[in-house]
Amino acid sequence: MINLVQNVVDGISVGSLYALTALGIGLIFGVMRLINVAHGELITAMGYTMLLFASQSVVVAMIGGMIAVVLLALVTERVAFRPLRSADPATLLVASFAVSFFLQKSIALVIGYRPKGINILPSLGQQVVVFGVRLQLLKMATIAVVAVMLILLTWFLKRTRFGLEMRAAAENFRMAQLLGIRGNRVIAMAFALSAILAAAVAVLFISQSGFLTPRMGLQLVVIAFVGTVIGGLGSLVGAAAGGFFVGATTVFLQAVLPPDLRQLREAFVYLVVILVLLLRPQGLFPASGLKERV
Amino acid sequence: MTAQSSGNATATMGNPTPLLAVSDLQIKYGSITALRGLSIHVGGGEIVAVVGPNGAGKSSLLCAIAGVVPSAKGAITFLGKPLIGLSPEDILRRGIAMVPEGRHIFGSMTVDENLRLGATVRTDRGAIAKDIEELLETFPILRERRKQPAGRLSGGEQQQLAIARALLCKPRLLMLDEPSLGLAPIVIDQVYQILTMLRQRGMTILLIEQNATRALNTADRTYVLSAGSLRLSGTKTELLNNRDFDAAYFGVAEAETRVLP
Amino acid sequence: MNRVLRALWPVLSLMLLVAAIAVAASGGSEIVQRQVTYGLIELIAVVALYIFVGNSGLLSFGNVSFMAIGAYVSALLTMRPASKGMLLPGLPELISSAQWPVIPAAIAGGLVASAFAFLAGIPLMRLSGIAASIATFAVLEIVYIGAGNWTDVTGGQNSLIGLPIYSDIWVCLIWSLITIATAFIYQETRSGLLLRASREDIVAARAAGVNVHRHRLVSFVISAFFSGIAGVLLGHFLGTVRIETFYLDLTFAILAMLVVGGMGSLAGAVIGAIVIAVLTEALRRVEAGVDFGIFAVGALPGLGDAVLALAMLLIILFRPKGLSQGREITWPFRAERPSSSKNPSESLADGSRMAPRPMISKPES
């Protein structure tokens, strides 16, 4: 029974992390129809920047890292993606792969592929006892942080003027321009927002894993991306739900499958995505106003 | 930069300098010419219609004015200033609002949110709220559906929403691309009544239509386009008395109309 | 005679080019020969990818998994039964005791890859655009995870070793020429042409009765065969087969070659492979540290990959159709008789123009 509760918490925690990652991808896809593979490198960059700030306080490191990652996102948007704004989806996808690989290899060039240890927020590593069950504080913190960020993001999108403009641009970019919404500004804002989400994911992830590799962002993003496809690329709710589903499922399968099949749990997720693409390509939670789909 | 008037210009309503002047506009898509050297003008307070069959280049004209499509040659001036090269966002800020073909309201957002987006470029918050109230007076069906997702509105209601939204920008010139498309005749009546009412209140309107009759009846002046070129222009009476109107509309050469019995 | 030459020049020129490179390299040092051999293997992989991507217009991220399948099949058929029995208890008796000669094993590798592509393609080729690409990526992952964990049959994370190393420069040259020739022949067949037509406008093609699904499947299967061959040759070049080789880095490298060269033409595939191979080779030397005499550049491992990614990005931004601009190599001399076809004029027929695209494009379906 205790094991079950721990697994459930674990599942929700991992699911939340992937949901947040997926949201970052979904935001960009919404306004630009671009699958930003390079989102992973934002996560990786945040991790390594925090390593740079390791001697400072954690708060300083987080702020410094966040600024760096937002800048990185804005630069990639301006340099690589804005010129391609009217290109076809295949070109955009290839471009985002190229950006992702360039950033990843550049980081590896400077730092190397060997994992580097990092220890942030060690105070969260302890365990607490809730209703008689031992739970990791870190996992609870992850769930809490993601929940808060979801609420903030929802508030931003539904209640602020910028959020309104972003939603309009996501639904119909050209029409939004015809109403005077500055397309460039909205897209830049989306990138900046996604960078903040990536930064949060990075902090939560490396607190749990304890080490950095140049590939860590990509690995997270690939799974999260599959989640957004399952959930529905066009809607943020779909992206978050899909990311959550994928994360939670991997934990669930880990707990449930016999040992020799456990490693295959990710393959299962990929099978699901193929099924979704075949049977319900708009995803399990498609956007209501969505006309274009994958 | 002085605006040039087209060759067939009839006198506008006492305003010598047109609000909008298009001269010798040429638009190409790749190697295909959609508009070849078109010149029209729109005076303040007029309703000007541009009619013609499919593919005549009407949409391209509006797209070019709105800044959505680049022009190969020619000039567009609005209030004396050139428009070519500006982005759609900037052209809106100059005072030209467009209701595109198919209306394109934001279906996932409420009617209210759609309206608020119309006021994107305005900063006077109090006045915006007042204007929204006024618009809801003019379009009562929108008040009824204010909090509903706009996607649930009927075609005619969406058209009203699109027009109201465009009006919220407080434009000097309102452009409509095929406002009657996909609407039932009785609804088209309503839409055109709205346009007439707007003109009474001083709005300048440029609209394009395939359905020539309706546009002809409402507009002060009409241009007839076919295959990218201007064929005829004039007031309703002038055009209806012109034997070549049908031929011009369908792009049939004059000589051919004489040969056929 | 001239007409035949003109028609075949696009492929003959490429084959001559590749052959010339191989011949020139064969006189060089062993290091150079190995580099060129590896380059030829990559070329086969790129052309194989092109067979599908270039003709269907769909991006495939899954061809590297076909390479893996080809490599594993050929490895399992050519390894010594003794080692197989010991290391891979899950193998069926038939394979475990077999030791095939290399050519049938290679063909088997290609065929199994094709069969796999056929089975996967039946559902996948129904998808369009990005959906298809995502699905092929899922296939890559499934093969990667599957092979990496099927330890009893594939060795899992461990390498299969002891493969006969027969991929020398001549073997790879012959296979490259076969691949290039096949790609050319295929794209001139009715199926290939119909597929290319559908690439431009799928709705029109379907309306004209073209069975797009079938032609895509054909292209996918042929592409998989040669990807499998590339994998076979890679395995027998390195002497080992390891699933880690056949994953994202290789996928990216091959895709980069195709993008840089130009996805739309066979020449693009070949040129892209050559250009990138040369570029990465030059960069590898810089990576190891170069002494310019006046100053020395220290060792920079990974520089090659970063520059490759940058090159790909620059091509996409500035020459999106690639170096070949989607065109094949044409016979440079003029025809004997003046060509009778005039360039189609800008209007479709006298007076009719194409209607402009609506300002806000309506979605399809």
Side-chain angles (χ1 to χ4, degrees):
Chain A
M1 181 60 201
I2 293 183
N3 226 6
L4 177 65
V5 174
Q6 283 175 337
N7 274 324
V8 167
V9 170
D10 204 16
I12 300 180
S13 164
V14 171
S16 308
L17 201 64
Y18 279 110
L20 204 60
T21 314
L23 266 179
I25 302 173
L27 259 177
I28 306 286
F29 186 81
V31 289
M32 256 190 91
R33 298 293 178 270
L34 161 73
I35 296 170
N36 190 14
V37 185
H39 187 73
E41 271 53 56
L42 294 178
I43 300 176
T44 310
M46 177 69 176
Y48 280 101
T49 311
M50 290 203 65
L51 189 64
L52 271 178
F53 281 98
S55 49
Q56 312 288 335
S57 80
V58 147
V59 175
V60 169
M62 282 201 273
I63 295 180
M66 204 172 286
I67 295 178
V69 171
V70 168
L71 281 175
L72 180 62
L74 291 174
V75 165
T76 56
E77 190 273 318
R78 184 68 189 81
V79 168
F81 297 128
R82 191 179 297 186
L84 294 175
R85 201 154 306 152
S86 48
D88 62 282
T91 308
L92 281 174
L93 186 57
V94 173
S96 103
F97 254 113
V99 171
S100 163
F101 256 71
F102 174 67
L103 290 175
Q104 192 196 114
K105 299 300 178 185
S106 301
I107 293 177
L109 186 62
V110 172
I111 303 203
Y113 272 104
R114 267 191 308 184
K116 285 213 181 326
I118 185 169
N119 193 16
I120 59 169
L121 303 173
S123 52
L124 287 180
Q126 55 188 307
Q127 296 190 326
V128 289
V129 180
V130 174
F131 296 123
V133 184
R134 277 187 171 281
L135 295 172
Q136 272 201 333
L137 194 55
L138 194 47
K139 298 209 197 288
M140 319 264 291
T142 302
I143 300 175
V145 167
V146 170
V148 166
M149 296 207 78
L150 282 177
I151 295 175
L152 283 175
L153 188 64
T154 311
W155 169 82
F156 174 80
L157 285 174
K158 288 236 186 278
R159 295 249 176 264
T160 67
R161 153 96 164 241
F162 292 127
L164 188 65
E165 290 185 14
M166 203 178 287
R167 281 191 291 143
E171 182 167 338
N172 195 329
F173 193 77
R174 181 58 93 197
M175 189 64 227
Q177 282 182 309
L178 286 171
L179 289 172
I181 294 174
R182 294 228 173 263
N184 287 345
R185 219 178 50 179
V186 167
I187 290 184
M189 206 162 14
F191 268 84
L193 260 183
S194 78
I196 294 177
L197 292 176
V201 168
V203 168
L204 293 170
F205 181 71
I206 63 183
S207 306
Q208 289 198 22
S209 71
F211 63 86
L212 305 166
T213 67
R215 290 230 175 92
M216 69 186 209
L218 183 66
Q219 285 163 345
L220 277 171
V221 155
V222 163
I223 303 267
F225 168 67
V226 165
T228 63
V229 174
I230 293 177
L233 256 176
S235 79
L236 290 181
V237 169
F244 184 84
F245 167 79
V246 162
T249 304
T250 52
V251 171
F252 170 72
L253 287 176
Q254 170 89 4
V256 155
L257 287 176
D260 47 340
L261 285 180
R262 262 186 215 147
Q263 288 303 105
L264 295 177
R265 64 188 194 277
E266 281 180 18
F268 173 78
V269 169
Y270 288 109
L271 267 174
V272 171
V273 88
I274 293 182
L275 280 173
V276 166
L277 285 171
L278 285 170
L279 300 173
R280 200 177 151 89
Q282 69 273 34
L284 299 175
F285 304 95
S288 51
L290 186 71
K291 295 173 219 148
E292 288 173 62
R293 47 180 168 79
V294 166
Chain B
M1 186 172 152
T2 41
Q4 299 178 25
S5 37
S6 67
N8 273 348
T10 53
T12 58
M13 310 214 299
N15 191 351
T17 314
L19 202 64
L20 174 80
V22 174
S23 56
D24 205 31
L25 190 65
Q26 192 182 87
I27 298 176
K28 296 174 127 177
Y29 299 106
S31 58
I32 301 193
T33 305
L35 221 56
R36 40 187 80 239
L38 178 71
S39 299
I40 68 162
H41 67 276
V42 180
E46 285 192 296
I47 295 185
V48 171
V50 176
V51 302
N54 208 12
K58 316 187 295 295
S59 266
S60 304
L61 170 66
L62 245 52
C63 287
I65 299 174
V68 171
V69 145
S71 39
K73 251 181 17 185
I76 307 176
T77 35
F78 183 67
L79 296 174
K81 302 213 199 78
L83 285 187
I84 291 192
L86 294 179
S87 67
E89 302 104 302
D90 288 324
I91 289 181
L92 179 81
R93 283 169 170 81
R94 292 282 180 97
I96 301 181
M98 155 94 90
V99 179
E101 183 186 333
R103 296 170 282 280
H104 289 280
I105 49 120
F106 298 109
S108 68
M109 302 191 201
T110 65
V111 168
D112 195 56
E113 286 175 323
N114 268 273
L115 286 174
R116 274 160 45 201
L117 281 169
T120 303
V121 294
R122 291 171 58 179
T123 47
D124 44 340
R125 280 242 284 253
I128 294 177
K130 202 165 65 78
D131 287 339
I132 293 185
E133 285 309 312
E134 257 184 55
L135 280 167
L136 293 176
E137 283 295 318
T138 321
F139 303 98
I141 191 73
L142 296 181
R143 186 193 290 284
E144 235 182 84
R145 300 208 189 277
R146 193 170 182 174
K147 294 293 178 197
Q148 291 181 16
R152 294 228 207 106
L153 270 57
S154 72
E157 292 163 354
Q158 287 188 4
Q159 187 67 284
Q160 294 187 32
L161 175 58
I163 295 177
R165 185 177 62 178
L167 288 175
L168 217 48
C169 316
K170 286 208 146 349
R172 297 287 305 268
L173 170 67
L174 181 66
M175 303 200 295
L176 297 109
D177 190 338
E178 309 255 8
S180 65
L181 195 67
L183 299 180
I186 214 177
V187 178
I188 301 178
D189 283 341
Q190 288 173 345
V191 171
Y192 272 86
Q193 274 168 23
I194 292 171
L195 296 182
T196 314
M197 174 209 51
L198 288 173
R199 191 251 316 263
Q200 278 170 356
R201 296 192 189 172
M203 178 63 69
T204 313
I205 295 176
L206 172 64
L207 67 100
I208 67 181
E209 275 285 18
Q210 266 190 69
N211 180 346
T213 326
R214 206 69 83 117
L216 207 56
N217 279 319
T218 317
D220 296 306
R221 285 183 304 118
T222 304
Y223 292 96
V224 181
L225 235 59
S226 179
S229 300
L230 179 66
R231 303 287 166 166
L232 287 179
S233 73
T235 63
K236 167 180 167 182
T237 11
E238 289 169 8
L239 286 176
L240 284 181
N241 286 335
N242 191 326
R243 291 171 37 200
D244 298 319
F245 176 68
D246 282 344
Y249 185 94
F250 291 105
V252 176
E254 249 186 62
E256 287 183 39
T257 58
R258 294 211 191 108
V259 168
L260 295 169
Chain C
M1 176 59 204
N2 221 357
R3 277 229 306 268
V4 173
L5 196 54
R6 172 184 300 274
L8 290 181
W9 186 241
V11 68
L12 285 179
S13 57
L14 293 171
M15 289 168 77
L16 286 170
L17 176 63
V18 171
I21 294 177
V23 167
S26 65
S29 70
E30 184 164 332
I31 298 182
V32 166
Q33 287 194 40
R34 278 186 71 80
Q35 289 164 352
V36 171
T37 308
Y38 184 73
L40 287 172
I41 295 176
E42 287 189 312
L43 183 126
I44 296 175
V46 176
V47 174
L49 183 64
Y50 161 78
I51 290 176
F52 178 67
V53 172
N55 289 299
S56 71
L58 301 173
L59 271 180
S60 165
F61 295 105
N63 278 54
V64 165
S65 63
F66 302 142
M67 289 176 72
I69 293 173
Y72 271 106
V73 166
S74 179
L76 291 175
L77 288 173
T78 55
M79 278 169 71
R80 281 179 305 137
S83 20
K84 280 188 285 194
M86 213 171 34
L87 298 169
L88 307 169
L91 279 179
E93 180 64 34
L94 197 62
I95 304 179
S96 192
S97 57
Q99 186 165 17
W100 287 21
V102 291
I103 295 185
I107 309 257
L111 287 177
V112 173
S114 291
F116 181 76
F118 179 76
L119 291 173
I122 293 179
L124 258 54
M125 291 301 115
R126 300 204 176 280
L127 300 168
S128 265
I130 299 296
S133 306
I134 297 174
T136 59
F137 178 76
V139 167
L140 172 71
E141 289 281 354
I142 291 174
V143 170
Y144 173 72
I145 295 173
N149 286 289
W150 206 4
T151 320
D152 286 347
V153 168
T154 64
Q157 299 289 329
N158 304 317
S159 317
L160 295 179
I161 58 174
L163 275 60
I165 298 183
Y166 68 85
S167 302
D168 66 358
I169 198 165
W170 299 114
V171 169
C172 293
L173 173 64
I174 293 175
W175 274 115
S176 334
L177 296 178
I178 295 176
T179 312
I180 295 175
T182 309
F184 183 75
I185 295 173
Y186 165 68
Q187 73 185 23
E188 299 298 319
T189 62
R190 187 169 164 277
S191 180
L193 289 171
L194 286 175
L195 186 61
R196 285 224 292 288
S198 81
R199 184 182 74 190
E200 303 306 319
D201 188 335
I202 190 169
V203 177
R206 284 216 181 104
V210 176
N211 187 344
V212 176
H213 176 254
R214 189 195 320 153
H215 298 301
R216 276 187 186 160
L217 194 54
V218 166
S219 161
F220 199 49
V221 165
I222 299 178
S223 166
F225 178 81
F226 288 102
S227 293
I229 293 292
V232 167
L233 292 173
L234 184 59
H236 293 280
F237 172 76
L238 299 170
T240 70
V241 173
R242 206 169 62 102
I243 191 60
E244 203 58 49
T245 322
F246 301 98
Y247 195 41
L248 289 173
D249 280 351
L250 187 58
T251 302
F252 179 75
I254 295 178
L255 187 62
M257 290 180 186
L258 189 58
V259 167
V260 166
M263 285 194 281
S265 70
L266 181 56
V270 173
I271 291 174
I274 295 176
V275 165
I276 295 294
V278 169
L279 186 64
T280 44
E281 213 25 71
L283 287 168
R284 206 158 291 160
R285 293 179 193 218
V286 177
E287 274 184 22
V290 178
D291 189 349
F292 283 109
I294 317 171
F295 61 93
V297 178
L300 292 168
L303 178 67
D305 287 334
V307 172
L308 177 61
L310 185 61
M312 190 165 154
L313 197 56
L314 290 173
I315 287 280
I316 291 178
L317 286 174
F318 298 114
R319 261 175 98 90
K321 292 219 184 107
L323 294 173
S324 69
Q325 294 291 82
R327 293 198 296 244
E328 304 288 2
I329 300 180
T330 47
W331 183 246
F333 304 110
R334 293 198 325 170
E336 292 166 336
R337 267 173 295 172
S339 147
S340 54
S341 62
K342 295 205 188 308
N343 278 331
S345 63
E346 63 185 42
S347 51
L348 297 168
D350 188 61
S352 74
R353 313 277 168 217
M354 204 172 80
R357 257 180 268 126
M359 173 169 58
I360 298 178
S361 22
K362 289 211 159 71
E364 290 176 311
S365 82

